[in-house]
Amino acid sequence: MSPTTDRIAVVGGSISGLTAALMLRDAGVDVDVYERSPQPLSGFGTGIVVQPELVHYLLEQGVELDSISVPSSSMEYVDALTGERVGSVPADWRFTSYDSIYGGLYELFGPERYHTSKCLVGLSQDSETVQMRFSDGTEAEANWVIGADGGASVVRKRLLGIEPTYAGYVTWRGVLQPGEVADDVWNYFNDKFTYGLLDDGHLIAYPIPGRENAESPRLNFQWYWNVAEGPDLDELMTDVRGIRLPTSVHNNSLNPHNLRQFHSKGESLFKPFRDLVLNASSPFVTVVADATVDRMVHGRVLLIGDAAVTPRPHAAAGGAKACDDARTLAEVFTKNHDLRGSLQSWETRQLQQGHAYLNKVKKMASRLQHGGSFEPGNPAFAFGLPKVDEPSVVTNS
């Protein structure tokens, strides 16, 4: 079937938004992307575990997996205070970075119809169109709007009033270049995904690609801290200007007291983890939060990725879920005769997957953040998306 002749706007120009826009454009759909950032995005080098859904589009375009990821051979589980080995399992995961995936997608889409500095403030719709209003005073109109604007989605908030719910902990993130830690520390984390288990949180560490293809791999880590909601969380999320930020405090905005606290707590860790914490040049902190919806289709406005279901990161497939939402939605628009019926089928399938994934990562967090038994290789804690009953959203009836 020929693609829809409707104009489609994608609000949010990150990985899921670009995946949807690229697949729609490839099928001949008239599509624009509206991104609130004033420039192309950066993940500050943060790492991502490769899932098939995440890289599907890039591989179809001829991108070599080796050019955007690095391999591993095992998953290691250790006590993050003593270094005592809890267990090890073979695992051939590959690791990439936000910048590698986003950069590849952005390069393919190009800047011409990727509109920056477009912070959505309101939207309304009628039977034929959706009107979007932006903070710079401009407006735009499309026949359909895809809300792909992340966990703090303005589209979702305007439609449903839903904001993410704090999960009770934050994550400190950092990336180290070759030479920033000793060779023995580098080798301790290289070629593996390492869990550092604690009674009141956990760490993870793994290698990721260099910024450019020719650069050496880097080391990526996250340290999850339990922080009570209220004064303690407010203090941690207050930046150097004294402003309480809702989601992340980036390195150049960190309150010096909070950075000292990060380093002080790091001193108690087993040496390899301690060296990551103390030597990371640009650590930053992000709250962990959940959100979910009962519907993804709202008239002519559709929610995908974290704008629909915002999961915790523990099963390493949040980006994969977002890309699967995007790919399957693009198929609905470009391969179906019965658009409304197919959107209902799409919504049912993607919500089943999103809700199951959210339940999975919550169960993982209940163990990882509170000193519960986290058995090496337990299939209930395996990376990846849960299976869904409906294999396809494409109907040609």
Side-chain angles (χ1 to χ4, degrees):
M1 178 185 175
S2 299
T4 179
T5 57
D6 288 345
R7 292 184 60 244
I8 297 178
V10 179
V11 176
S14 190
I15 290 173
S16 62
L18 278 173
T19 298
L22 282 161
M23 292 192 67
L24 288 165
R25 189 182 70 177
D26 290 351
V29 176
D30 187 9
V31 60
D32 285 89
V33 174
Y34 297 90
E35 168 53 45
R36 62 184 168 224
S37 172
Q39 64 273 323
L41 300 173
S42 169
F44 300 94
T46 51
I48 304 176
V49 179
V50 172
Q51 303 288 347
E53 299 87 353
L54 178 73
V55 296
H56 181 84
Y57 184 84
L58 289 174
L59 299 188
E60 281 191 330
Q61 306 310 305
V63 175
E64 295 290 337
L65 190 57
D66 283 341
S67 72
I68 57 171
S69 66
V70 295
S72 68
S73 62
S74 69
M75 296 185 75
E76 304 294 327
Y77 304 73
V78 300
D79 185 307
L81 292 179
T82 67
E84 179 182 358
R85 195 179 192 211
V86 177
S88 175
V89 295
D92 58 353
W93 292 108
R94 297 189 72 93
F95 309 123
T96 185
S97 68
Y98 177 91
D99 292 341
S100 294
I101 301 298
Y102 169 81
L105 295 170
Y106 178 79
E107 183 176 357
L108 289 167
F109 189 76
E112 182 179 353
R113 299 187 73 171
Y114 188 96
H115 310 288
T116 55
S117 296
K118 295 298 178 183
C119 182
L120 185 77
V121 295
L123 73 169
S124 53
Q125 60 180 305
D126 53 35
S127 61
E128 297 294 330
T129 60
V130 183
Q131 298 78 41
M132 296 165 286
R133 297 176 291 280
F134 301 100
S135 62
D136 63 359
T138 61
E139 299 182 1
E141 184 177 276
N143 301 107
W144 298 88
V145 166
I146 298 173
D149 52 339
S153 172
V154 174
V155 177
R156 181 182 63 211
K157 186 174 181 181
R158 295 295 181 268
L159 290 172
L160 302 169
I162 294 175
E163 295 188 80
T165 300
Y166 179 53
Y169 55 102
V170 303
T171 178
W172 284 90
R173 299 171 179 261
V175 176
L176 291 99
Q177 308 292 332
E180 290 187 323
V181 290
D183 288 348
D184 61 330
V185 174
W186 191 275
N187 293 334
Y188 184 85
F189 294 109
N190 195 33
D191 190 40
K192 57 183 72 76
F193 186 102
T194 303
Y195 278 107
L197 305 175
L198 296 163
D199 289 338
D200 60 347
H202 73 288
L203 299 95
I204 59 173
Y206 53 94
I208 61 173
R211 288 194 182 94
E212 304 293 338
N213 290 348
E215 291 186 359
S216 299
R218 298 167 289 169
L219 287 177
N220 172 81
F221 75 88
Q222 290 183 243
W223 185 5
Y224 295 90
W225 287 11
N226 294 327
V227 180
E229 190 166 16
D232 290 345
L233 180 64
D234 291 341
E235 181 175 348
L236 181 60
M237 299 305 296
T238 297
D239 70 5
V240 71
R241 301 165 298 171
I243 298 173
R244 203 291 194 186
L245 300 179
T247 304
S248 294
V249 184
H250 295 139
N251 182 263
N252 59 1
S253 298
L254 278 174
N255 182 315
H257 170 77
N258 293 332
L259 185 58
R260 287 195 297 270
Q261 183 187 21
F262 173 66
H263 288 149
S264 178
K265 289 185 69 170
E267 290 281 3
S268 66
L269 298 172
F270 175 53
K271 183 181 184 304
F273 290 111
R274 180 173 72 242
D275 285 1
L276 293 185
V277 168
L278 298 184
N279 290 287
S281 59
S282 300
F284 64 100
V285 63
T286 300
V287 299
V288 178
D290 305 316
T292 190
V293 298
D294 294 325
R295 293 167 51 210
M296 297 169 72
V297 180
H298 300 267
R300 289 183 168 270
V301 182
L302 315 163
L303 300 173
I304 66 172
D306 282 2
V309 178
T310 308
R312 307 175 198 191
H314 307 303
K321 180 188 74 67
C323 287
D324 190 65
D325 285 348
R327 178 187 61 80
T328 52
L329 181 58
E331 289 178 352
V332 166
F333 273 102
T334 59
K335 298 182 180 179
N336 289 276
H337 294 278
D338 177 16
L339 181 56
R340 287 293 182 180
S342 295
L343 281 172
Q344 291 179 1
S345 298
W346 170 80
E347 178 184 65
T348 298
R349 179 186 185 273
Q350 300 313 113
L351 280 178
Q352 180 187 357
Q353 178 172 260
H355 291 162
Y357 184 70
L358 182 56
N359 288 335
K360 176 180 179 177
V361 293
K362 284 183 176 181
K363 290 177 181 177
M364 294 176 73
S366 69
R367 305 283 188 92
L368 286 166
Q369 286 305 109
H370 303 288
S373 176
F374 196 75
E375 305 89 353
N378 186 336
F381 305 146
F383 291 163
L385 292 174
K387 301 296 182 182
V388 292
D389 295 337
E390 298 178 50
S392 176
V393 299
V394 177
T395 60
N396 289 306
S397 58

